[in-house]
Amino acid sequence: LFIAISDSLGRTAIATGEGTEEAISDEYCEIIIDSIMVPKFKEKEYYEGLRRALLLLTREWDENDN
């Protein structure tokens, strides 16, 4: 799992890798970005946005890991 954030480009991305792509879908990653990370980043609450995103992503991974 890889999270990239570029303040200068105004972009955030989550990439799944070998072993995580089956447990965490690209669609789920987009939901996390759009509903959690971007709103928190706009409020300048970067740590909280990352914390919440990682919490949800790790829960999803644990629940769907085969």
Side-chain angles (χ1 to χ4, degrees):
L1 184 68
F2 178 77
I3 299 175
I5 303 163
S6 173
D7 189 35
S8 64
L9 296 176
R11 304 263 315 163
T12 301
I14 300 172
T16 57
E18 189 173 329
T20 58
E21 73 274 359
E22 292 178 16
I24 303 172
S25 69
D26 290 338
E27 293 82 15
Y28 188 75
C29 292
E30 287 300 319
I31 290 168
I32 296 298
I33 291 168
D34 294 340
S35 65
I36 304 294
M37 297 176 80
V38 169
K40 285 296 175 188
F41 292 174
K42 285 182 178 179
E43 296 173 3
K44 305 241 186 279
E45 294 182 15
Y46 305 106
Y47 172 78
E48 187 62 19
L50 282 171
R51 188 188 72 77
R52 289 184 184 183
L54 288 170
L55 178 64
L56 291 171
L57 288 164
T58 54
R59 282 185 187 162
E60 186 75 5
W61 193 350
D62 286 343
E63 291 175 7
N64 295 309
D65 189 27
N66 296 326

